[in-house]
PDB file of all heavy atoms in Angstrom:
ATOM      1  N   VAL L 217      29.988  30.204 -21.548  1.00  0.00           N
ATOM      2  CA  VAL L 217      30.120  29.839 -20.138  1.00  0.00           C
ATOM      3  C   VAL L 217      29.274  28.600 -19.860  1.00  0.00           C
ATOM      4  O   VAL L 217      28.069  28.596 -20.112  1.00  0.00           O
ATOM      5  CB  VAL L 217      29.674  30.997 -19.219  1.00  0.00           C
ATOM      6  CG1 VAL L 217      29.925  30.634 -17.761  1.00  0.00           C
ATOM      7  CG2 VAL L 217      30.400  32.285 -19.587  1.00  0.00           C
ATOM      8  N   THR L 230      21.248  30.117 -12.738  1.00  0.00           N
ATOM      9  CA  THR L 230      22.684  30.333 -12.881  1.00  0.00           C
ATOM     10  C   THR L 230      22.939  31.788 -13.217  1.00  0.00           C
ATOM     11  O   THR L 230      22.622  32.225 -14.317  1.00  0.00           O
ATOM     12  CB  THR L 230      23.262  29.437 -13.985  1.00  0.00           C
ATOM     13  OG1 THR L 230      22.952  28.078 -13.694  1.00  0.00           O
ATOM     14  CG2 THR L 230      24.767  29.587 -14.059  1.00  0.00           C
ATOM     15  N   ILE L 231      23.513  32.523 -12.288  1.00  0.00           N
ATOM     16  CA  ILE L 231      23.753  33.947 -12.499  1.00  0.00           C
ATOM     17  C   ILE L 231      25.181  34.134 -12.990  1.00  0.00           C
ATOM     18  O   ILE L 231      26.135  33.915 -12.257  1.00  0.00           O
ATOM     19  CB  ILE L 231      23.506  34.755 -11.214  1.00  0.00           C
ATOM     20  CG1 ILE L 231      22.065  34.562 -10.761  1.00  0.00           C
ATOM     21  CG2 ILE L 231      23.812  36.229 -11.446  1.00  0.00           C
ATOM     22  CD1 ILE L 231      21.749  35.228  -9.445  1.00  0.00           C
ATOM     23  N   ILE L 232      25.323  34.525 -14.253  1.00  0.00           N
ATOM     24  CA  ILE L 232      26.633  34.740 -14.866  1.00  0.00           C
ATOM     25  C   ILE L 232      26.934  36.235 -14.851  1.00  0.00           C
ATOM     26  O   ILE L 232      26.117  37.041 -15.310  1.00  0.00           O
ATOM     27  CB  ILE L 232      26.651  34.227 -16.313  1.00  0.00           C
ATOM     28  CG1 ILE L 232      26.372  32.716 -16.341  1.00  0.00           C
ATOM     29  CG2 ILE L 232      27.984  34.533 -16.982  1.00  0.00           C
ATOM     30  CD1 ILE L 232      26.180  32.173 -17.735  1.00  0.00           C
ATOM     31  N   THR L 233      28.090  36.595 -14.323  1.00  0.00           N
ATOM     32  CA  THR L 233      28.501  37.998 -14.262  1.00  0.00           C
ATOM     33  C   THR L 233      29.837  38.156 -14.958  1.00  0.00           C
ATOM     34  O   THR L 233      30.758  37.368 -14.734  1.00  0.00           O
ATOM     35  CB  THR L 233      28.622  38.482 -12.804  1.00  0.00           C
ATOM     36  OG1 THR L 233      27.367  38.304 -12.152  1.00  0.00           O
ATOM     37  CG2 THR L 233      29.005  39.958 -12.745  1.00  0.00           C
ATOM     38  N   ALA L 234      29.925  39.170 -15.823  1.00  0.00           N
ATOM     39  CA  ALA L 234      31.162  39.455 -16.555  1.00  0.00           C
ATOM     40  C   ALA L 234      31.609  40.881 -16.242  1.00  0.00           C
ATOM     41  O   ALA L 234      30.805  41.808 -16.299  1.00  0.00           O
ATOM     42  CB  ALA L 234      30.942  39.298 -18.052  1.00  0.00           C
ATOM     43  N   THR L 235      32.897  41.027 -15.904  1.00  0.00           N
ATOM     44  CA  THR L 235      33.456  42.346 -15.611  1.00  0.00           C
ATOM     45  C   THR L 235      34.714  42.534 -16.440  1.00  0.00           C
ATOM     46  O   THR L 235      35.636  41.713 -16.360  1.00  0.00           O
ATOM     47  CB  THR L 235      33.796  42.477 -14.114  1.00  0.00           C
ATOM     48  OG1 THR L 235      32.615  42.241 -13.345  1.00  0.00           O
ATOM     49  CG2 THR L 235      34.336  43.865 -13.806  1.00  0.00           C
ATOM     50  N   VAL L 236      34.743  43.602 -17.253  1.00  0.00           N
ATOM     51  CA  VAL L 236      35.885  43.853 -18.107  1.00  0.00           C
ATOM     52  C   VAL L 236      36.792  44.901 -17.484  1.00  0.00           C
ATOM     53  O   VAL L 236      36.333  45.906 -16.941  1.00  0.00           O
ATOM     54  CB  VAL L 236      35.438  44.294 -19.523  1.00  0.00           C
ATOM     55  CG1 VAL L 236      34.637  45.572 -19.472  1.00  0.00           C
ATOM     56  CG2 VAL L 236      36.651  44.453 -20.446  1.00  0.00           C
ATOM     57  N   VAL L 242      30.956  44.987 -22.271  1.00  0.00           N
ATOM     58  CA  VAL L 242      30.491  43.602 -22.322  1.00  0.00           C
ATOM     59  C   VAL L 242      28.973  43.514 -22.400  1.00  0.00           C
ATOM     60  O   VAL L 242      28.252  44.446 -22.047  1.00  0.00           O
ATOM     61  CB  VAL L 242      30.976  42.814 -21.083  1.00  0.00           C
ATOM     62  CG1 VAL L 242      32.447  42.528 -21.166  1.00  0.00           C
ATOM     63  CG2 VAL L 242      30.632  43.549 -19.798  1.00  0.00           C
ATOM     64  N   GLY L 243      28.511  42.359 -22.860  1.00  0.00           N
ATOM     65  CA  GLY L 243      27.110  41.983 -22.842  1.00  0.00           C
ATOM     66  C   GLY L 243      27.017  40.582 -22.293  1.00  0.00           C
ATOM     67  O   GLY L 243      28.000  39.838 -22.284  1.00  0.00           O
ATOM     68  N   ALA L 244      25.832  40.143 -21.836  1.00  0.00           N
ATOM     69  CA  ALA L 244      25.644  38.796 -21.310  1.00  0.00           C
ATOM     70  C   ALA L 244      24.226  38.340 -21.594  1.00  0.00           C
ATOM     71  O   ALA L 244      23.279  39.120 -21.466  1.00  0.00           O
ATOM     72  CB  ALA L 244      25.930  38.748 -19.809  1.00  0.00           C
ATOM     73  N   LYS L 256      30.961  48.294 -18.221  1.00  0.00           N
ATOM     74  CA  LYS L 256      32.079  47.416 -17.907  1.00  0.00           C
ATOM     75  C   LYS L 256      31.630  46.128 -17.221  1.00  0.00           C
ATOM     76  O   LYS L 256      32.430  45.198 -17.071  1.00  0.00           O
ATOM     77  CB  LYS L 256      33.092  48.143 -17.005  1.00  0.00           C
ATOM     78  CG  LYS L 256      33.773  49.324 -17.656  1.00  0.00           C
ATOM     79  CD  LYS L 256      34.676  48.903 -18.798  1.00  0.00           C
ATOM     80  CE  LYS L 256      35.446  50.083 -19.384  1.00  0.00           C
ATOM     81  NZ  LYS L 256      36.308  49.686 -20.508  1.00  0.00           N
ATOM     82  N   THR L 257      30.369  46.047 -16.805  1.00  0.00           N
ATOM     83  CA  THR L 257      29.863  44.852 -16.135  1.00  0.00           C
ATOM     84  C   THR L 257      28.512  44.475 -16.726  1.00  0.00           C
ATOM     85  O   THR L 257      27.678  45.346 -17.001  1.00  0.00           O
ATOM     86  CB  THR L 257      29.713  45.077 -14.619  1.00  0.00           C
ATOM     87  OG1 THR L 257      30.985  45.372 -14.059  1.00  0.00           O
ATOM     88  CG2 THR L 257      29.158  43.822 -13.934  1.00  0.00           C
ATOM     89  N   ALA L 258      28.294  43.169 -16.919  1.00  0.00           N
ATOM     90  CA  ALA L 258      27.012  42.674 -17.413  1.00  0.00           C
ATOM     91  C   ALA L 258      26.660  41.410 -16.655  1.00  0.00           C
ATOM     92  O   ALA L 258      27.543  40.622 -16.290  1.00  0.00           O
ATOM     93  CB  ALA L 258      27.069  42.388 -18.909  1.00  0.00           C
ATOM     94  N   THR L 259      25.331  41.207 -16.385  1.00  0.00           N
ATOM     95  CA  THR L 259      24.867  40.038 -15.638  1.00  0.00           C
ATOM     96  C   THR L 259      23.744  39.355 -16.398  1.00  0.00           C
ATOM     97  O   THR L 259      22.880  40.012 -16.984  1.00  0.00           O
ATOM     98  CB  THR L 259      24.367  40.445 -14.242  1.00  0.00           C
ATOM     99  OG1 THR L 259      25.447  41.031 -13.519  1.00  0.00           O
ATOM    100  CG2 THR L 259      23.866  39.230 -13.466  1.00  0.00           C
ATOM    101  N   TYR L 260      23.784  38.014 -16.369  1.00  0.00           N
ATOM    102  CA  TYR L 260      22.718  37.233 -17.009  1.00  0.00           C
ATOM    103  C   TYR L 260      22.237  36.187 -16.020  1.00  0.00           C
ATOM    104  O   TYR L 260      23.028  35.390 -15.507  1.00  0.00           O
ATOM    105  CB  TYR L 260      23.260  36.560 -18.276  1.00  0.00           C
ATOM    106  CG  TYR L 260      22.395  35.429 -18.791  1.00  0.00           C
ATOM    107  CD1 TYR L 260      21.066  35.640 -19.154  1.00  0.00           C
ATOM    108  CD2 TYR L 260      22.927  34.139 -18.911  1.00  0.00           C
ATOM    109  CE1 TYR L 260      20.289  34.602 -19.614  1.00  0.00           C
ATOM    110  CE2 TYR L 260      22.151  33.097 -19.389  1.00  0.00           C
ATOM    111  CZ  TYR L 260      20.828  33.333 -19.729  1.00  0.00           C
ATOM    112  OH  TYR L 260      20.052  32.296 -20.192  1.00  0.00           O
ATOM    113  N   ASN L 261      20.916  36.215 -15.712  1.00  0.00           N
ATOM    114  CA  ASN L 261      20.334  35.237 -14.809  1.00  0.00           C
ATOM    115  C   ASN L 261      19.864  34.064 -15.647  1.00  0.00           C
ATOM    116  O   ASN L 261      18.805  34.095 -16.268  1.00  0.00           O
ATOM    117  CB  ASN L 261      19.153  35.846 -14.042  1.00  0.00           C
ATOM    118  CG  ASN L 261      18.699  34.955 -12.899  1.00  0.00           C
ATOM    119  OD1 ASN L 261      19.102  33.810 -12.803  1.00  0.00           O
ATOM    120  ND2 ASN L 261      17.852  35.486 -12.039  1.00  0.00           N
ATOM    121  N   VAL L 270      28.887  35.509 -22.837  1.00  0.00           N
ATOM    122  CA  VAL L 270      29.361  36.866 -22.559  1.00  0.00           C
ATOM    123  C   VAL L 270      30.007  37.364 -23.845  1.00  0.00           C
ATOM    124  O   VAL L 270      30.783  36.637 -24.484  1.00  0.00           O
ATOM    125  CB  VAL L 270      30.375  36.875 -21.403  1.00  0.00           C
ATOM    126  CG1 VAL L 270      31.027  38.249 -21.274  1.00  0.00           C
ATOM    127  CG2 VAL L 270      29.705  36.473 -20.097  1.00  0.00           C
ATOM    128  N   VAL L 283      38.465  40.023 -19.252  1.00  0.00           N
ATOM    129  CA  VAL L 283      37.077  39.825 -18.858  1.00  0.00           C
ATOM    130  C   VAL L 283      37.020  38.703 -17.834  1.00  0.00           C
ATOM    131  O   VAL L 283      37.286  37.534 -18.147  1.00  0.00           O
ATOM    132  CB  VAL L 283      36.191  39.469 -20.070  1.00  0.00           C
ATOM    133  CG1 VAL L 283      34.730  39.359 -19.638  1.00  0.00           C
ATOM    134  CG2 VAL L 283      36.347  40.511 -21.169  1.00  0.00           C
ATOM    135  N   ALA L 284      36.660  39.039 -16.575  1.00  0.00           N
ATOM    136  CA  ALA L 284      36.550  38.056 -15.502  1.00  0.00           C
ATOM    137  C   ALA L 284      35.119  37.533 -15.451  1.00  0.00           C
ATOM    138  O   ALA L 284      34.165  38.309 -15.416  1.00  0.00           O
ATOM    139  CB  ALA L 284      36.933  38.682 -14.167  1.00  0.00           C
ATOM    140  N   ILE L 285      34.963  36.202 -15.437  1.00  0.00           N
ATOM    141  CA  ILE L 285      33.656  35.557 -15.443  1.00  0.00           C
ATOM    142  C   ILE L 285      33.420  34.880 -14.098  1.00  0.00           C
ATOM    143  O   ILE L 285      34.282  34.139 -13.606  1.00  0.00           O
ATOM    144  CB  ILE L 285      33.553  34.493 -16.553  1.00  0.00           C
ATOM    145  CG1 ILE L 285      34.006  35.069 -17.904  1.00  0.00           C
ATOM    146  CG2 ILE L 285      32.139  33.938 -16.627  1.00  0.00           C
ATOM    147  CD1 ILE L 285      33.138  36.166 -18.436  1.00  0.00           C
ATOM    148  N   THR L 286      32.234  35.128 -13.494  1.00  0.00           N
ATOM    149  CA  THR L 286      31.836  34.426 -12.284  1.00  0.00           C
ATOM    150  C   THR L 286      30.468  33.800 -12.490  1.00  0.00           C
ATOM    151  O   THR L 286      29.666  34.272 -13.296  1.00  0.00           O
ATOM    152  CB  THR L 286      31.778  35.361 -11.061  1.00  0.00           C
ATOM    153  OG1 THR L 286      30.736  36.337 -11.262  1.00  0.00           O
ATOM    154  CG2 THR L 286      33.095  36.077 -10.842  1.00  0.00           C
ATOM    155  N   VAL L 287      30.210  32.705 -11.768  1.00  0.00           N
ATOM    156  CA  VAL L 287      28.887  32.082 -11.735  1.00  0.00           C
ATOM    157  C   VAL L 287      28.417  32.100 -10.291  1.00  0.00           C
ATOM    158  O   VAL L 287      29.033  31.483  -9.429  1.00  0.00           O
ATOM    159  CB  VAL L 287      28.927  30.641 -12.276  1.00  0.00           C
ATOM    160  CG1 VAL L 287      27.549  29.997 -12.149  1.00  0.00           C
ATOM    161  CG2 VAL L 287      29.375  30.641 -13.721  1.00  0.00           C
ATOM    162  N   ASN L 288      27.347  32.886 -10.041  1.00  0.00           N
ATOM    163  CA  ASN L 288      26.837  33.081  -8.680  1.00  0.00           C
ATOM    164  C   ASN L 288      27.943  33.482  -7.706  1.00  0.00           C
ATOM    165  O   ASN L 288      28.014  33.011  -6.580  1.00  0.00           O
ATOM    166  CB  ASN L 288      26.116  31.842  -8.188  1.00  0.00           C
ATOM    167  CG  ASN L 288      24.721  31.745  -8.760  1.00  0.00           C
ATOM    168  OD1 ASN L 288      24.413  32.376  -9.769  1.00  0.00           O
ATOM    169  ND2 ASN L 288      23.864  30.965  -8.133  1.00  0.00           N
ATOM    170  N   GLY L 289      28.831  34.333  -8.165  1.00  0.00           N
ATOM    171  CA  GLY L 289      29.874  34.878  -7.305  1.00  0.00           C
ATOM    172  C   GLY L 289      31.158  34.094  -7.262  1.00  0.00           C
ATOM    173  O   GLY L 289      32.149  34.552  -6.693  1.00  0.00           O
ATOM    174  N   THR L 290      31.199  32.909  -7.855  1.00  0.00           N
ATOM    175  CA  THR L 290      32.410  32.095  -7.859  1.00  0.00           C
ATOM    176  C   THR L 290      33.152  32.273  -9.182  1.00  0.00           C
ATOM    177  O   THR L 290      32.569  32.090 -10.248  1.00  0.00           O
ATOM    178  CB  THR L 290      32.072  30.610  -7.658  1.00  0.00           C
ATOM    179  OG1 THR L 290      31.459  30.439  -6.381  1.00  0.00           O
ATOM    180  CG2 THR L 290      33.332  29.750  -7.709  1.00  0.00           C
ATOM    181  N   ALA L 291      34.441  32.630  -9.102  1.00  0.00           N
ATOM    182  CA  ALA L 291      35.232  32.857 -10.307  1.00  0.00           C
ATOM    183  C   ALA L 291      35.423  31.550 -11.068  1.00  0.00           C
ATOM    184  O   ALA L 291      35.770  30.522 -10.480  1.00  0.00           O
ATOM    185  CB  ALA L 291      36.589  33.447  -9.942  1.00  0.00           C
ATOM    186  N   VAL L 292      35.186  31.572 -12.380  1.00  0.00           N
ATOM    187  CA  VAL L 292      35.354  30.372 -13.199  1.00  0.00           C
ATOM    188  C   VAL L 292      36.354  30.559 -14.329  1.00  0.00           C
ATOM    189  O   VAL L 292      36.725  29.595 -14.987  1.00  0.00           O
ATOM    190  CB  VAL L 292      34.000  29.903 -13.787  1.00  0.00           C
ATOM    191  CG1 VAL L 292      33.058  29.494 -12.682  1.00  0.00           C
ATOM    192  CG2 VAL L 292      33.370  30.970 -14.655  1.00  0.00           C
ATOM    193  N   GLY L 293      36.809  31.791 -14.578  1.00  0.00           N
ATOM    194  CA  GLY L 293      37.797  31.977 -15.628  1.00  0.00           C
ATOM    195  C   GLY L 293      37.911  33.417 -16.085  1.00  0.00           C
ATOM    196  O   GLY L 293      37.094  34.274 -15.708  1.00  0.00           O
TER     197      GLY L 293
END
Side-chain angles (χ1 to χ4, degrees):
V217 184
T230 304
I231 300 175
I232 299 172
T233 302
T235 302
V236 61
V242 287
K256 295 293 184 181
T257 299
T259 299
Y260 163 59
N261 191 348
V270 171
V283 184
I285 310 295
T286 65
V287 177
N288 281 19
T290 298
V292 296

